[in-house]
Amino acid sequence: MRANARGRRLRWTALVLSGGMLLAGCGAVTTAGSTPTPAASEAPVRAVDLASGEQAEPVEVAVDGGADGVDVTFREITIEPGAGTGEHCHYGQLIAVVQEGELTHYAETHPGGVRVYSAGESIIEGAGYPHEGRNEGESDVVLWVTYVTPEGKPLAETDLSHCHE
Protein backbone atom coordinates (compact mmCIF):
# COMPACT_ATOMS: atom_id res chain seq x y z
CA MET A 1 0.00 0.00 0.00
CA ARG A 2 1.37 3.41 -0.91
CA ALA A 3 2.12 5.78 1.99
CA ASN A 4 -0.23 8.46 0.61
CA ALA A 5 -3.20 6.05 0.43
CA ARG A 6 -2.40 4.73 3.92
CA GLY A 7 -2.28 8.29 5.29
CA ARG A 8 -5.67 9.09 3.75
CA ARG A 9 -7.16 5.91 5.23
CA LEU A 10 -5.82 6.77 8.69
CA ARG A 11 -7.23 10.33 8.46
CA TRP A 12 -10.64 8.88 7.45
CA THR A 13 -10.57 6.43 10.38
CA ALA A 14 -9.76 9.20 12.84
CA LEU A 15 -12.50 11.42 11.38
CA VAL A 16 -15.15 8.70 11.56
CA LEU A 17 -14.24 7.64 15.08
CA SER A 18 -14.23 11.24 16.32
CA GLY A 19 -17.78 11.61 14.95
CA GLY A 20 -18.97 8.57 16.86
CA MET A 21 -19.70 6.57 13.69
CA LEU A 22 -18.00 3.56 12.16
CA LEU A 23 -18.51 2.54 8.56
CA ALA A 24 -16.71 -0.73 7.87
CA GLY A 25 -14.73 -1.28 4.71
CA CYS A 26 -13.86 2.31 3.81
CA GLY A 27 -11.46 2.65 0.92
CA ALA A 28 -8.92 5.37 0.36
CA VAL A 29 -10.41 8.76 1.09
CA THR A 30 -9.53 12.20 -0.10
CA THR A 31 -10.34 15.23 1.96
CA ALA A 32 -12.59 17.84 0.46
CA GLY A 33 -12.86 21.51 1.20
CA SER A 34 -15.88 23.55 2.02
CA THR A 35 -18.50 23.67 -0.72
CA PRO A 36 -21.04 26.23 0.49
CA THR A 37 -23.81 27.32 -1.87
CA PRO A 38 -24.68 30.16 -1.46
CA ALA A 39 -21.89 31.76 0.59
CA ALA A 40 -21.76 30.00 3.98
CA SER A 41 -21.70 33.28 5.88
CA GLU A 42 -25.07 34.26 4.36
CA ALA A 43 -26.92 30.93 4.22
CA PRO A 44 -29.17 29.76 7.08
CA VAL A 45 -28.21 26.15 6.25
CA ARG A 46 -24.50 25.45 5.69
CA ALA A 47 -22.94 22.20 4.53
CA VAL A 48 -19.22 21.45 4.58
CA ASP A 49 -17.91 18.27 2.96
CA LEU A 50 -15.38 16.92 5.44
CA ALA A 51 -14.37 13.82 3.49
CA SER A 52 -15.40 11.94 0.39
CA GLY A 53 -14.21 8.61 -0.94
CA GLU A 54 -14.97 5.79 -3.31
CA GLN A 55 -15.74 2.23 -2.25
CA ALA A 56 -14.85 -0.52 -4.71
CA GLU A 57 -16.22 -3.33 -2.53
CA PRO A 58 -19.87 -3.90 -1.48
CA VAL A 59 -21.29 -1.90 1.43
CA GLU A 60 -24.04 -3.50 3.47
CA VAL A 61 -26.58 -0.70 3.26
CA ALA A 62 -29.53 -0.35 0.87
CA VAL A 63 -28.37 1.75 -2.07
CA ASP A 64 -30.80 2.15 -4.96
CA GLY A 65 -28.99 1.60 -8.26
CA GLY A 66 -25.54 1.19 -6.71
CA ALA A 67 -24.43 -1.66 -9.02
CA ASP A 68 -21.75 0.54 -10.64
CA GLY A 69 -20.23 1.46 -7.28
CA VAL A 70 -20.98 3.87 -4.50
CA ASP A 71 -19.75 7.23 -3.30
CA VAL A 72 -19.22 7.87 0.42
CA THR A 73 -19.34 11.44 1.69
CA PHE A 74 -18.91 12.62 5.29
CA ARG A 75 -20.43 16.07 5.81
CA GLU A 76 -21.10 18.51 8.62
CA ILE A 77 -24.42 20.32 8.21
CA THR A 78 -25.39 23.38 10.29
CA ILE A 79 -29.03 24.49 10.33
CA GLU A 80 -29.75 27.86 11.89
CA PRO A 81 -32.85 28.46 14.04
CA GLY A 82 -36.00 28.61 11.91
CA ALA A 83 -34.31 27.06 8.84
CA GLY A 84 -34.75 23.64 7.27
CA THR A 85 -33.43 21.33 4.62
CA GLY A 86 -36.51 21.56 2.41
CA GLU A 87 -38.40 18.44 1.43
CA HIS A 88 -36.15 15.95 -0.36
CA CYS A 89 -35.24 12.27 -0.66
CA HIS A 90 -32.05 10.27 -1.18
CA TYR A 91 -30.91 7.71 -3.75
CA GLY A 92 -28.87 5.88 -1.12
CA GLN A 93 -28.69 5.82 2.66
CA LEU A 94 -27.30 8.17 5.22
CA ILE A 95 -26.25 7.78 8.81
CA ALA A 96 -26.14 10.96 10.90
CA VAL A 97 -25.38 12.02 14.45
CA VAL A 98 -26.85 15.17 15.98
CA GLN A 99 -23.80 16.94 17.42
CA GLU A 100 -25.65 20.01 18.74
CA GLY A 101 -29.24 21.16 19.12
CA GLU A 102 -32.49 19.41 18.29
CA LEU A 103 -33.57 18.40 14.79
CA THR A 104 -37.28 18.08 14.05
CA HIS A 105 -37.59 15.43 11.34
CA TYR A 106 -40.77 15.25 9.27
CA ALA A 107 -41.37 11.94 7.45
CA GLU A 108 -44.24 9.53 7.01
CA THR A 109 -41.91 6.82 8.37
CA HIS A 110 -42.37 8.23 11.91
CA PRO A 111 -45.50 7.61 13.98
CA GLY A 112 -47.55 10.79 13.55
CA GLY A 113 -45.15 11.94 10.81
CA VAL A 114 -42.63 13.71 13.09
CA ARG A 115 -39.73 12.88 15.42
CA VAL A 116 -37.34 15.13 17.34
CA TYR A 117 -33.69 14.06 17.52
CA SER A 118 -31.49 15.55 20.26
CA ALA A 119 -27.71 15.93 20.53
CA GLY A 120 -26.06 12.52 20.72
CA GLU A 121 -28.84 10.67 18.86
CA SER A 122 -28.31 9.06 15.48
CA ILE A 123 -30.52 9.18 12.41
CA ILE A 124 -30.62 6.65 9.59
CA GLU A 125 -32.45 7.67 6.43
CA GLY A 126 -33.15 5.19 3.67
CA ALA A 127 -33.58 5.69 -0.04
CA GLY A 128 -36.62 7.05 -1.79
CA TYR A 129 -38.97 8.57 0.77
CA PRO A 130 -39.65 12.32 1.07
CA HIS A 131 -38.68 13.99 4.35
CA GLU A 132 -37.51 17.29 5.81
CA GLY A 133 -35.33 18.32 8.75
CA ARG A 134 -36.05 21.60 10.53
CA ASN A 135 -34.47 23.53 13.36
CA GLU A 136 -37.40 24.70 15.45
CA GLY A 137 -35.15 25.60 18.39
CA GLU A 138 -33.23 28.72 19.35
CA SER A 139 -29.66 27.50 18.69
CA ASP A 140 -27.90 25.93 15.70
CA VAL A 141 -28.41 22.26 14.87
CA VAL A 142 -25.14 20.58 13.84
CA LEU A 143 -25.28 17.20 12.11
CA TRP A 144 -22.41 14.92 11.12
CA VAL A 145 -23.64 12.85 8.20
CA THR A 146 -22.21 9.94 6.20
CA TYR A 147 -23.90 9.48 2.82
CA VAL A 148 -23.63 6.23 0.85
CA THR A 149 -25.03 6.92 -2.61
CA PRO A 150 -24.90 5.34 -6.05
CA GLU A 151 -21.91 6.64 -7.96
CA GLY A 152 -22.69 9.95 -9.68
CA LYS A 153 -26.03 10.58 -7.93
CA PRO A 154 -26.60 13.73 -5.85
CA LEU A 155 -26.59 13.50 -2.05
CA ALA A 156 -30.18 14.78 -1.95
CA GLU A 157 -32.94 14.95 -4.56
CA THR A 158 -35.35 17.90 -4.37
CA ASP A 159 -37.44 16.88 -7.39
CA LEU A 160 -39.92 14.76 -5.46
CA SER A 161 -41.10 13.03 -8.65
CA HIS A 162 -37.82 11.05 -8.37
CA CYS A 163 -38.76 9.84 -4.89
CA HIS A 164 -40.63 6.59 -4.39
CA GLU A 165 -42.27 5.32 -1.25
Side-chain angles (χ1 to χ4, degrees), residues 58-96:
V59 176
E60 294 185 9
V61 294
V63 177
D64 185 11
D68 294 328
V70 297
D71 290 328
V72 177
T73 301
F74 186 65
R75 176 180 266 193
E76 179 178 272
I77 299 173
T78 302
I79 305 172
E80 293 182 358
T85 62
E87 196 170 15
H88 64 280
C89 64
H90 303 283
Y91 289 98
Q93 276 193 294
L94 66 82
I95 302 167

Side-chain angles (χ1 to χ4, degrees), residues 1 10 14 25 37 41 44 49 52 62 64 77 82-83 88 106 110 116 127-128 136 153 156 158:
M1 173 179 353
L10 292 174
T37 305
S41 61
D49 291 347
S52 182
D64 185 11
I77 299 173
H88 64 280
Y106 294 93
H110 302 305
V116 176
E136 297 177 352
K153 291 288 190 179
T158 58

Side-chain angles (χ1 to χ4, degrees), residues 3 7 22-23 30 32 35 40 44 55 58 63 71 83 88 98 103 110 116 130 141 143 157 164:
L22 178 61
L23 182 62
T30 58
T35 57
Q55 175 65 32
V63 177
D71 290 328
H88 64 280
V98 179
L103 178 73
H110 302 305
V116 176
V141 168
L143 306 169
E157 176 62 68
H164 61 308

Side-chain angles (χ1 to χ4, degrees), residues 90-146:
H90 303 283
Y91 289 98
Q93 276 193 294
L94 66 82
I95 302 167
V97 173
V98 179
Q99 292 297 106
E100 297 176 28
E102 287 188 342
L103 178 73
T104 303
H105 193 260
Y106 294 93
E108 292 300 319
T109 58
H110 302 305
V114 64
R115 177 163 177 206
V116 176
Y117 292 91
S118 299
E121 291 188 281
S122 64
I123 303 165
I124 298 177
E125 293 179 347
Y129 66 91
H131 58 277
E132 178 177 13
R134 294 204 48 85
N135 180 353
E136 297 177 352
E138 296 181 11
S139 61
D140 285 354
V141 168
V142 178
L143 306 169
W144 282 13
V145 184
T146 299

